Amino acid sequence: MVGSLRTGIIDTKNYTFYKEYSDIISGGAWQPSECVARQRVAIVIPFRDRQKHLEQLQYNLIPILKRQQLNFRFFVVEQNGNHTFNKGRIMNAAFLEARKFDDFDCFVFHDVDMMPEDDRNMYTCTDAARHMSPAVDKFLYVLPYTQLVGGVLSMKPDVFIAVNGYSNLYWGWGAEDDDMAARLQLKQIGIVRPPLTIGRYRMIKHSEREINPVKVRLYLLKTVKDRFMKDGLNSLEYKTVFVKLTPLYTHIMVDIGEPPRDANKITSLMAKK
Ligand code: UDP
Ligand code: BGC
Ligand code: MN
């Protein structure tokens, strides 16, 4: 392992005062002073109620991004209210909002609980999508299946637009990332990965959240091909509740709506088929 995982307990009161944070610009932006960074990178973190994870992630990641001499900005994009979490909608809203800040070369979609363990895992984009987290402690540091793109995924904006972003239809845990993998495949965009020795992460343990019923997930995954060009970035409806520049990240609160009132709407559609 190169670089070190910072497992120390964070003193939250001093959270913003670590030495590495002193030159971070309000909103969570930084660039090297000794060179021009190769890429401007938006780190997008879908978020709700995981403040401790966020602190630990930035504590681990900021020194790595600096050593990689990147121009970066953190976007913490939070789903407003208490409705079931919808990560796809958050990612799509995040993409549209982040592009109002800068002409980013690269988007890294980053679960808040994934702690990078290796400095050599570059937070940049290639022409293909890059699944940066193939080796996670939770899966004993092996890739559980070849189409997995969950955890940490980097994509150039053109790639994200070409696949029409994420689906907006996955409410609750599971498969919105598998839907993204299918989109990439349908558009013949490759998925590349660092070797397992480099793409290493520790996932902070947490309780499981509300799951999307398996039959809904399977139905949606079967219909990606017919759906993806009309379900995604181009069909998202959302409202921005606020945009706040905090010392270490740009905090965007979005209202992305609520799941269909009839929870079985999608499966009843399925029954009609
Ligand atoms: N997430 C969050 N709050 C929630 C649910 C999800 O912040 O209540 C975000 C967070 O970035 C998290 C990601 O969505 O890492 C994926 O959700 P989760 O960790 O529950 O799924 P897992 O990847 O562990 O299966
Ligand atoms: C789910 C994915 C998840 C993966 C690993 C799959 O069954 O569909 O959303 O990322 O498991 O937990
Ligand atoms: Mn998790």
Side-chain angles (χ1 to χ4, degrees):
M1 181 165 78
V2 173
S4 57
L5 184 60
R6 303 180 72 177
T7 50
I9 302 296
I10 291 175
D11 176 355
T12 310
K13 282 198 240 67
N14 286 321
Y15 174 44
T16 54
F17 300 113
Y18 291 103
K19 199 162 131 266
E20 296 93 327
Y21 298 166
S22 59
D23 56 354
I24 303 281
I25 294 162
S26 172
W30 185 86
Q31 57 181 316
S33 51
E34 65 275 17
C35 61
V36 176
R38 284 217 178 94
Q39 295 191 358
R40 284 158 297 175
V41 184
I43 312 283
V44 170
I45 303 170
F47 184 82
R48 182 152 80 188
D49 194 24
R50 302 242 181 126
Q51 192 63 32
K52 286 273 169 285
H53 294 188
L54 181 59
E55 290 165 13
Q56 193 80 45
L57 175 61
Q58 291 204 294
Y59 183 64
N60 278 287
L61 189 49
I62 287 173
I64 293 178
L65 298 175
K66 286 184 163 188
R67 288 194 289 268
Q68 294 186 356
Q69 298 184 305
L70 300 174
N71 178 332
F72 64 84
R73 184 183 196 105
F74 280 93
F75 292 92
V76 171
V77 186
E78 181 168 354
Q79 180 175 338
N80 195 40
N82 290 320
H83 291 302
T84 310
F85 205 67
N86 186 319
K87 205 163 85 173
R89 289 190 184 210
I90 295 173
M91 302 302 209
N92 289 339
F95 180 81
L96 297 170
E97 290 299 307
R99 277 162 59 96
K100 296 178 185 168
F101 280 82
D102 202 351
D103 185 15
F104 291 105
D105 303 299
C106 177
F107 279 77
V108 179
F109 297 96
H110 206 304
D111 279 4
V112 73
D113 52 12
M114 296 286 284
M115 303 298 127
E117 291 189 27
D118 198 300
D119 264 32
R120 296 168 297 179
N121 198 10
M122 288 300 295
Y123 275 71
T124 51
C125 282
T126 51
D127 288 337
R130 184 136 54 97
H131 180 229
M132 296 175 54
S133 56
V136 184
D137 64 346
K138 183 185 167 193
F139 300 121
L140 306 174
Y141 294 106
V142 293
L143 188 67
Y145 57 99
T146 47
Q147 284 299 95
L148 180 69
V149 295
V152 185
L153 179 66
S154 85
M155 272 183 274
K156 285 191 174 174
D158 287 357
V159 166
F160 195 75
I161 292 166
V163 297
N164 197 21
Y166 280 85
S167 168
N168 298 312
L169 299 179
Y170 291 78
W171 296 94
W173 180 90
E176 80 293 327
D177 50 345
D178 303 321
D179 186 293
M180 172 54 79
R183 288 167 186 246
L184 291 164
Q185 193 170 27
L186 286 160
K187 280 284 174 184
Q188 295 179 307
I189 296 163
I191 299 165
V192 296
R193 297 188 173 85
L196 294 179
T197 47
I198 291 178
R200 285 172 64 93
Y201 286 80
R202 182 170 62 86
M203 196 187 101
I204 300 178
K205 289 195 178 62
H206 55 77
S207 53
E208 284 175 12
R209 61 187 162 98
E210 187 186 339
I211 66 162
N212 193 0
V214 70
K215 59 179 177 177
V216 175
R217 278 183 271 148
L218 289 178
Y219 171 70
L220 286 171
L221 287 176
K222 261 193 239 161
T223 54
V224 183
K225 192 176 176 201
D226 301 329
R227 175 172 48 77
F228 81 111
M229 288 318 285
K230 46 187 195 289
D231 160 33
L233 199 54
N234 66 4
S235 64
L236 174 73
E237 288 179 24
Y238 74 102
K239 287 192 200 88
T240 306
V241 179
F242 64 71
V243 178
K244 279 184 194 154
L245 304 189
T246 80
L248 293 185
Y249 53 86
T250 300
H251 185 187
I252 304 180
M253 182 70 83
V254 288
D255 182 343
I256 48 132
E258 53 187 279
R261 214 155 284 219
D262 171 10
N264 281 320
K265 201 172 164 198
I266 293 166
T267 41
S268 57
L269 276 176
M270 195 163 76
K272 278 186 206 140
K273 288 223 160 188

